[in-house]
Amino acid sequence: MMSSVKVVVCFVLLTLFAQAINIVNAENVEVRVKSVTSIAKTDDNFVCATLDWWPSTKCDYGQCPWQQAGLINLDLDNKILRNAIKAFKSLRLRLGGSLEDQVVYKVGDNLECPKFQRNNDGLFGFTQGCLCMDRWDELNDLFKQTGAIITFGLNALYGKQKDHNEKGLWIGDWDTTNSRDLMNYTISKGYKIDSYELGNELCGNGVSARLTPEQYGRDMIKLKKLVQELYPDPSTQPKVLGPAGFFDEKWFKTFLQITGPNVVDAVTQHIYNLGAGVDKDLIYRIQDPFFLSQIAQTYRDLSKLIEEFGPWSAAWVGEAGGAYNSGGKDVSHTFANGFWYLDQLGMTSTFNHKVYCRQAFIGGNYGLLNTTSFIPNPDYYGALLWHRLMGPSVLSVNHNGSPYLRVYSHCSRRKPGITLLIINMSNSTYSSISVVNDLNLYTDMEVPDNGGAKPREEYHLTPKDGNIQSDVVLLNKTPLRLTSSDGIPELKPEFVDPTSPILVAPQSFVFATLRDFNAPACA
């Protein structure tokens, strides 16, 4: 008995000794939070994820990572799936993707319901597919039971034809018939739709097809009028979104000028800034702060464009998977992907983007859930913690540490104080962080924040066995695993002396909530 006690005592002493060494060797960093005013605001449901149309035959680089995760085939009764959505209480889901503009709806006079088939002459290598109303009913039952907030992407090519002179260009006015019938059916069933989006990646040079900004603008006006006609009550009227593609300043500017005031409620752009999923340098790019910062200019440019040409609109990231073609099979589902994903959430919020939709909730290599087992991947827990802890008001923050250290600050969600997101991309350096509260509007005088009387709440996320390519994440050194009933585990903070610095391990993420932090912007 005594020998066992000695072993335990020795282990504890060794742990404390190791922590003391880490504190001594840590880089001392001062983080300054400007707390008088906020610099941006997100939507209350900023975190969003996508559900895509891809069938199991969607393959890239000799692998077919979508399995049965597409909207037509997904097992909607899976307990893990339902519990994973429920855990957010109000998870925003965007239904759409590459095949969106080849989906017809079996409703009204449209009696045909084709299945997606491989065809090299089709867009993205597939023929048309179909959404039958039985499946739409099943999907909406899932959304109702889990509290999901739905954006639905409509087929923008319905009624159009390929131009014979310009490759990839589609011409003609959008035929609203099939979408009208779907909306009428949706309304008759009492299904709630938060927003309708028109088309997928048809802007600029397009991906598999494209529209001119003038034509797309006219089509968007038709969608707005259709929504206003069928949903006459402004309090329940779905928002109208577009163009759901890659930012092209000239194209987006013309589009906003054509649509005019109060047509487009949110301008949606897509982000795949990490390159191809098969790129051997993906694992290095994802930890390179200089590379990750390059996309910031795009967010700034879209925000400025909206301010000038569409101030009635909000900026959204409507789809972002990091690495395109279904993500990287050894990276996108692992802990390492959080260096990109959590940094993206922080970065876009500072540029006044209201919503960030992750590709995908399930499917491909970049799903928040494992495609076959449905077990949450590390980024799921990062998204859930953001949703629960980070409020809409964004605060300005800077620090005097390494560029491999990222820090973001928001007013805490529905609670007093602020919450910091700290990302340490360094593979060797600990950071010992002290927080300074800048309460002054007109001077550079800074007030050290002693944390107040309430304990600081810390959530430290680290990879299993220190391997950043693990798909198991630890919260405060405990692996996050589903409960015996396939529920999402409780995410408990570590309560820390508020006068002590925040110690951030190499290659880790920390959410830290300071309840007594005096931030007038959060009052």
Side-chain angles (χ1 to χ4, degrees):
M1 180 68 181
M2 287 298 294
S3 60
S4 299
V5 171
K6 289 180 179 178
V7 169
V8 171
V9 170
C10 288
F11 177 78
V12 170
L13 290 174
L14 285 172
T15 301
L16 292 173
F17 181 68
Q19 290 177 343
I21 291 176
N22 292 333
I23 293 172
V24 169
N25 294 330
E27 177 186 37
N28 292 318
V29 178
E30 187 178 79
V31 169
R32 294 177 295 280
V33 178
K34 291 185 177 294
S35 63
V36 175
T37 60
S38 60
I39 58 169
K41 283 191 182 296
T42 70
D43 187 86
D44 201 42
N45 294 291
F46 173 70
V47 171
C48 165
T50 68
L51 292 174
D52 211 303
W53 292 103
W54 288 121
S56 59
T57 49
K58 157 68 172 171
C59 303
D60 298 290
Y61 317 124
Q63 50 165 330
C64 305
W66 281 87
Q67 307 288 327
Q68 300 296 310
L71 280 162
I72 300 299
N73 302 316
L74 183 62
D75 178 7
L76 304 180
D77 293 321
N78 184 280
K79 285 181 65 178
I80 302 174
L81 174 71
R82 288 183 170 248
N83 288 335
I85 300 173
K86 278 183 184 177
F88 284 82
K89 295 185 179 178
S90 56
L91 176 62
R92 189 181 293 278
L93 291 175
R94 180 244 187 186
L95 282 56
S98 297
L99 300 185
E100 172 184 320
D101 298 303
Q102 292 166 262
V103 178
V104 295
Y105 319 121
K106 188 180 180 183
V107 62
D109 294 332
N110 185 38
L111 301 179
E112 295 184 3
C113 202
K115 292 184 178 181
F116 288 121
Q117 302 288 340
R118 272 285 186 186
N119 185 324
N120 291 334
D121 294 328
L123 297 181
F124 298 97
F126 284 91
T127 62
Q128 277 194 336
C130 172
L131 174 64
C132 66
M133 293 304 96
D134 287 347
R135 184 61 173 177
W136 187 228
D137 293 339
E138 293 168 355
L139 285 163
N140 277 280
D141 177 69
L142 171 69
F143 304 149
K144 182 179 179 180
Q145 296 298 324
T146 58
I149 300 170
I150 302 305
T151 293
F152 187 83
L154 297 165
N155 181 344
L157 297 183
Y158 196 82
K160 295 183 183 291
Q161 297 177 339
K162 291 181 180 179
D163 185 271
H164 297 300
N165 299 316
E166 289 192 49
K167 185 178 180 181
L169 180 66
W170 286 61
I171 57 175
D173 293 333
W174 178 49
D175 183 345
T176 63
T177 305
N178 200 214
S179 291
R180 172 186 287 273
D181 289 341
L182 176 66
M183 287 185 192
N184 275 324
Y185 180 87
T186 299
I187 293 167
S188 72
K189 289 286 190 174
Y191 300 150
K192 294 181 179 180
I193 303 296
D194 175 79
S195 44
Y196 287 105
E197 191 172 38
L198 186 61
N200 185 82
E201 296 177 356
L202 301 172
C203 56
N205 294 323
V207 177
S208 191
R210 64 185 175 89
L211 300 175
T212 66
E214 294 84 0
Q215 181 61 63
Y216 187 84
R218 292 191 293 270
D219 294 340
M220 185 64 77
I221 292 171
K222 290 179 75 172
L223 173 58
K224 186 68 170 186
K225 289 180 178 178
L226 178 61
V227 168
Q228 289 175 331
E229 175 193 340
L230 299 183
Y231 297 87
D233 183 352
S235 66
T236 57
Q237 192 176 98
K239 293 184 284 290
V240 168
L241 318 180
F246 299 102
F247 182 64
D248 178 308
E249 186 171 1
K250 183 179 179 181
W251 195 102
F252 275 55
K253 176 182 174 181
T254 303
F255 159 62
L256 285 173
Q257 290 174 322
I258 293 294
T259 52
N262 304 313
V263 173
V264 183
D265 296 300
V267 178
T268 51
Q269 66 165 324
H270 291 183
I271 299 294
Y272 286 88
N273 60 311
L274 295 177
V278 74
D279 194 321
K280 60 180 176 25
D281 292 328
L282 179 60
I283 187 62
Y284 305 111
R285 285 179 179 169
I286 220 161
Q287 303 170 77
D288 181 350
F290 305 99
F291 179 85
L292 295 178
S293 293
Q294 292 173 15
I295 196 63
Q297 189 64 49
T298 300
Y299 297 132
R300 181 179 292 280
D301 289 347
L302 177 59
S303 293
K304 287 177 64 179
L305 188 76
I306 290 173
E307 285 178 16
E308 187 172 356
F309 297 101
W312 50 84
S313 299
W316 286 27
V317 174
E319 180 184 314
Y324 59 80
N325 287 344
S326 302
K329 69 181 181 66
D330 298 320
V331 176
S332 297
H333 58 90
T334 71
F335 180 89
N337 203 62
F339 294 117
W340 166 78
Y341 178 50
L342 291 177
D343 187 53
Q344 282 281 291
L345 295 181
M347 183 188 298
T348 52
S349 65
T350 65
F351 289 110
N352 211 34
H353 282 50
K354 306 303 182 185
V355 172
Y356 192 100
C357 296
R358 166 66 178 265
Q359 172 84 346
F361 191 67
I362 185 168
N365 294 308
Y366 40 34
L368 294 178
L369 305 184
N370 181 281
T371 302
T372 52
S373 70
F374 291 76
I375 292 172
N377 287 320
D379 277 352
Y380 171 86
Y381 293 108
L384 185 56
L385 282 169
W386 177 289
H387 181 75
R388 290 180 177 180
L389 300 174
M390 305 287 271
S393 294
V394 186
L395 303 175
S396 175
V397 60
N398 55 65
H399 66 80
N400 61 356
S402 159
Y404 286 83
L405 187 73
R406 300 279 226 225
V407 184
Y408 299 99
S409 179
H410 286 224
C411 296
S412 295
R413 187 178 176 96
R414 300 193 182 100
K415 289 184 179 180
I418 67 166
T419 297
L420 301 174
L421 166 61
I422 306 165
I423 303 168
N424 190 356
M425 300 181 195
S426 170
N427 62 7
S428 59
T429 303
Y430 279 80
S431 291
S432 178
I433 293 178
S434 299
V435 181
V436 170
N437 185 359
D438 183 352
L439 279 166
N440 298 281
L441 274 173
Y442 307 112
T443 73
D444 293 329
M445 182 177 166
E446 296 161 350
V447 181
D449 188 83
N450 63 9
K454 293 182 180 178
R456 189 169 61 239
E457 300 166 24
E458 295 184 2
Y459 303 78
H460 292 254
L461 297 174
T462 53
K464 182 183 178 183
D465 299 327
N467 176 16
I468 63 170
Q469 288 182 265
S470 171
D471 58 8
V472 177
V473 61
L474 280 60
L475 173 59
N476 297 328
K477 301 180 181 178
T478 300
L480 289 173
R481 304 189 188 280
L482 295 173
T483 67
S484 58
S485 58
D486 288 333
I488 300 302
E490 192 174 354
L491 305 181
K492 296 180 180 180
E494 185 177 79
F495 293 97
V496 181
D497 178 355
T499 63
S500 65
I502 304 169
L503 185 63
V504 184
Q507 296 184 318
S508 73
F509 320 128
V510 178
F511 289 91
T513 296
L514 288 66
R515 291 281 173 233
D516 285 341
F517 193 95
N518 181 19
C522 305

